[in-house]
Amino acid sequence: MPEAPNLALNKSAVSSTDEGVGFEAGKALDGNQITRWASREGNDPEWIYVDLGSVQQITGVKLRWEVAYAKRYKIEISTDSGSPEHWQEVYSTASGNGGLDEIPLAPQAARYVRMYGIERGTPYGYSLYEFEITGQ
């Protein structure tokens, strides 16, 4: 079965903070497993969201964590237009352990998808090589 397309690839992203130049939110959506988004070190909460450009049917999220991962986080979606204000939680965990998180979701409409980091798994920040959204 072919892998579902990554709807987030090269889309625009917004983050709560960036660690610095070269760690901007868009680095988590560029399809490159070497570049990454990183939040400022030592802060909770932190978040990153992708704007899919229009409302899409999404079926899952993949988070490829760098060493700085989220222990507690949630995935939220929004169908707002413009700056998203109304978020709906579709997944949460309190036992994140880094590496690759593949989160299947029941198909649902979303324009914005957010990883909302509640508690860091390390003293650093949050850092994602890739933030992928699968869909139909």
Side-chain angles (χ1 to χ4, degrees):
M1 192 167 138
E3 195 166 330
N6 175 11
L7 302 178
L9 186 62
N10 296 318
K11 295 293 195 297
S12 63
V14 176
S15 58
S16 49
T17 66
D18 297 328
E19 186 181 312
V21 175
F23 298 102
E24 299 85 3
K27 300 288 188 188
L29 306 175
D30 62 4
N32 184 329
Q33 303 287 323
I34 297 168
T35 61
R36 61 189 172 91
W37 164 69
S39 70
R40 198 173 296 139
E41 293 190 0
N43 286 351
D44 288 314
E46 295 280 3
W47 49 261
I48 181 173
Y49 72 75
V50 57
D51 179 354
L52 299 175
S54 61
V55 175
Q56 311 270 335
Q57 280 294 114
I58 69 164
T59 57
V61 173
K62 285 185 191 174
L63 301 170
R64 297 180 191 275
W65 294 102
E66 193 254 348
V67 172
Y69 67 93
K71 180 178 176 186
R72 286 180 54 221
Y73 69 92
K74 56 189 175 180
I75 301 295
E76 299 174 308
I77 61 172
S78 175
T79 56
D80 292 357
S81 57
S83 295
E85 295 174 20
H86 306 95
W87 293 99
Q88 173 192 347
E89 183 179 312
V90 293
Y91 173 84
S92 69
T93 184
S95 57
N97 60 1
L100 172 62
D101 290 345
E102 296 190 75
I103 304 160
L105 300 172
Q108 49 207 306
R111 174 173 173 178
Y112 300 96
V113 183
R114 177 164 73 172
M115 186 291 296
Y116 190 92
I118 301 164
E119 181 186 346
R120 291 164 287 117
T122 71
Y124 305 106
Y126 296 88
S127 184
L128 286 168
Y129 287 117
E130 284 297 303
F131 181 20
E132 300 177 35
I133 311 300
T134 53
Q136 298 168 328

